[in-house]
Amino acid sequence: MSFGKGFLAGVVVTLVVVSLTLSMSFVYSENWNSADLIHVDADTQISVGTGSHRTATATAPPLAAAAPASASASVAMTGVTTTAKAASATHYNIKAGKPWNMLSRSELIDTLAQIMAQPPKIAASATCSNPPIMAAPKCAELGFSGKRPTGEVGTVYRVMSFGYEADTLEIALREYQGLNVKAILIESELTHKEPFQHKSSQWDRIKNQSRFDGLRDMVILRSTMPAAFIRKFSKDAMWASERAQERYGLDDAKAVLGNKFRPTDVLVMGSPDEILSRHIMHSLSHCQLKDAMVGAAVGFPFGFVERAFRPDFRPGDLTYSFTLPTAYSIGKFPYEKIIRYFQPPNKGLYLQGGMHLTGYTLLAATLIKDVSTTDHDGQTTRIEQLCAVGPASIRKSLHAKMLGNSGRVTDVATLSEHERASYVIPWFLECNRERYPSWFKDASIPDSRDDDVHRILCPKK
């Protein structure tokens, strides 16, 4: 394939810009047409082309839009039978210089997803490490009946429907790192809200990033719900798409991993942002659940981890705690009935401690929810405002909402000691406040990826 002069000129211009501004995550060139793409690799270094190069090169291979993921059932990550093809590319493909209102809905969602896949530009703290764990937990918490028989240790399978939030997945896996925990991710070929849009695999985009070193092997299976499956169930109820994705992934996990499940194992079902504390996850391997199904009591911050929200689904005697994720004894609970159970039958039993990291105020996370998730209206009003007033003003309005008094929000510091026990900030988040400033109300420097969103969706004319 030969390249025209305009294309080569674009490559030259891009290379010059890269050499002068290595810290930039995205580069625009007016010499690129709408079909040309700029690729940014997994660690945000500029590269041109579809190969795995980490630096720009003048002998770039042809540029082409990323192919949709194959209709897949599952991809086992560590020695389990593979039943689908893994995506071959992990580069980000951003339409160069094309404003948001000239993108199709699918392109807009994919662009936001790729921005969310970008690692934070602040490195993780080198002075922090995952906290030590008790060799033998006491098993005295409310949701446990005591210790397991001597020598019996169960594996905890953490099953998560995964959409876009790479930061949250990193924080969650860090919380579980070093424990007897194996992760199963469930993705979807389509977005959840009609009209459905194609969804590329976010895990394929991020899994080879250096921030997942030491974590990616925890993911033993990735399942992808095919488009036909979600369309079959999508009209049943408001959350039917989410339920379909959960059911598909659970059934696929049983088909692929079923012979590895033991009666002593525990399955924890919930989204990546529904994080049980490190102590509770370790205890699940060593303690007996008091019932075949036990819900959670985790903190429910309102955008900022310092703020507590009163959710609709609350455990027992708690007001500002949330009931998910749900823990199941594989040997005692019917597998076909496992699901994210918002209101477990026994509200008085719960595993207390953790965090529901919802309401992430990173702009890309907010905007992608606006346009693609079930509980949002699909409107682009906030994107229009972003282009009109810039990221600082949008952040200010978001923060005002988070800090306001809606009658359901208060400061965590004002909660009773019993309720505060639910609010356990994941250690990696607590240790890296500068890396994830959008979670903290007093952050002095905002996340620079907010500027990336503005620059990409609202390019200067």
Side-chain angles (χ1 to χ4, degrees), residues 117-412:
Q118 295 260 13
K121 296 175 186 178
I122 302 296
S125 171
T127 61
C128 291
S129 60
N130 43 2
I133 53 177
M134 297 174 62
K138 295 180 180 179
C139 304
E141 289 84 355
L142 184 61
F144 297 119
S145 60
K147 296 183 178 180
R148 292 170 179 261
T150 302
E152 181 185 290
V153 178
T155 297
V156 180
Y157 290 92
R158 184 61 176 91
V159 183
M160 300 175 273
S161 289
F162 180 50
Y164 302 105
E165 293 189 358
D167 293 356
T168 307
L169 181 63
E170 178 189 11
I171 291 166
L173 292 178
R174 291 289 177 197
E175 188 75 357
Y176 314 143
Q177 189 178 19
L179 307 180
N180 194 22
V181 175
K182 300 182 185 300
I184 296 171
L185 300 183
I186 313 170
E187 295 194 277
S188 172
E189 286 187 346
L190 296 178
T191 58
H192 288 163
K193 190 176 184 68
E194 294 190 72
F196 297 123
Q197 306 295 329
H198 170 75
K199 180 185 178 298
S200 297
S201 168
Q202 193 79 330
W203 176 240
D204 282 342
R205 284 193 177 112
I206 65 177
K207 65 185 178 184
N208 292 321
Q209 294 174 354
S210 60
R211 62 169 159 169
F212 287 98
D213 290 349
L215 301 178
R216 67 179 65 88
D217 287 345
M218 294 173 63
V219 180
I220 61 167
L221 181 70
R222 188 277 308 277
S223 295
T224 302
M225 178 177 65
F229 197 85
I230 190 172
R231 288 194 173 100
K232 179 179 178 181
F233 294 99
S234 63
K235 299 185 186 302
D236 290 353
M238 177 179 177
W239 299 103
S241 297
E242 287 79 2
R243 291 299 195 210
Q245 184 169 335
E246 293 163 11
R247 189 71 260 155
Y248 182 88
L250 284 165
D251 291 347
D252 196 42
K254 186 175 183 180
V256 178
L257 301 172
N259 62 345
K260 295 181 178 293
F261 293 153
R262 301 171 300 168
T264 54
D265 294 336
V266 175
L267 190 149
V268 177
M269 187 73 194
S271 299
D273 62 2
E274 295 157 359
I275 303 173
L276 280 171
S277 72
R278 183 172 177 80
H279 169 70
I280 292 294
M281 290 293 283
H282 177 55
S283 297
L284 284 168
S285 291
H286 297 269
C287 307
Q288 298 274 18
L289 283 173
K290 193 170 284 188
D291 203 346
M293 173 180 65
V294 179
V298 300
F300 197 125
F302 194 59
F304 299 127
V305 296
E306 302 93 342
R307 299 285 279 169
F309 180 75
R310 175 168 53 85
D312 293 328
F313 301 102
R314 305 184 294 274
D317 55 343
L318 298 169
T319 304
Y320 290 91
S321 302
F322 189 50
T323 54
L324 289 171
T326 314
Y328 295 92
S329 172
I330 289 181
K332 297 179 180 179
F333 195 89
Y335 189 90
E336 66 276 6
K337 294 184 179 180
I338 291 176
I339 201 165
R340 283 172 71 238
Y341 216 111
F342 282 86
Q343 198 65 78
N346 192 339
K347 295 178 63 175
L349 278 187
Y350 48 78
L351 303 169
Q352 189 176 21
M355 192 71 74
H356 179 28
L357 288 178
T358 189
Y360 193 17
T361 61
L362 186 76
L363 287 189
T366 299
L367 298 179
I368 206 166
K369 281 189 172 183
D370 285 349
V371 300
S372 71
T373 61
T374 299
D375 54 343
H376 288 71
D377 58 11
Q379 297 300 310
T380 57
T381 304
R382 207 180 326 247
I383 300 178
E384 296 173 24
Q385 295 171 345
L386 171 67
C387 293
V389 300
S393 292
I394 300 299
R395 265 195 310 270
K396 185 176 179 180
S397 65
L398 279 173
H399 293 182
K401 178 183 178 183
M402 302 305 177
L403 294 171
N405 184 8
S406 68
R408 300 181 68 174
V409 184
T410 188
D411 286 332
V412 173

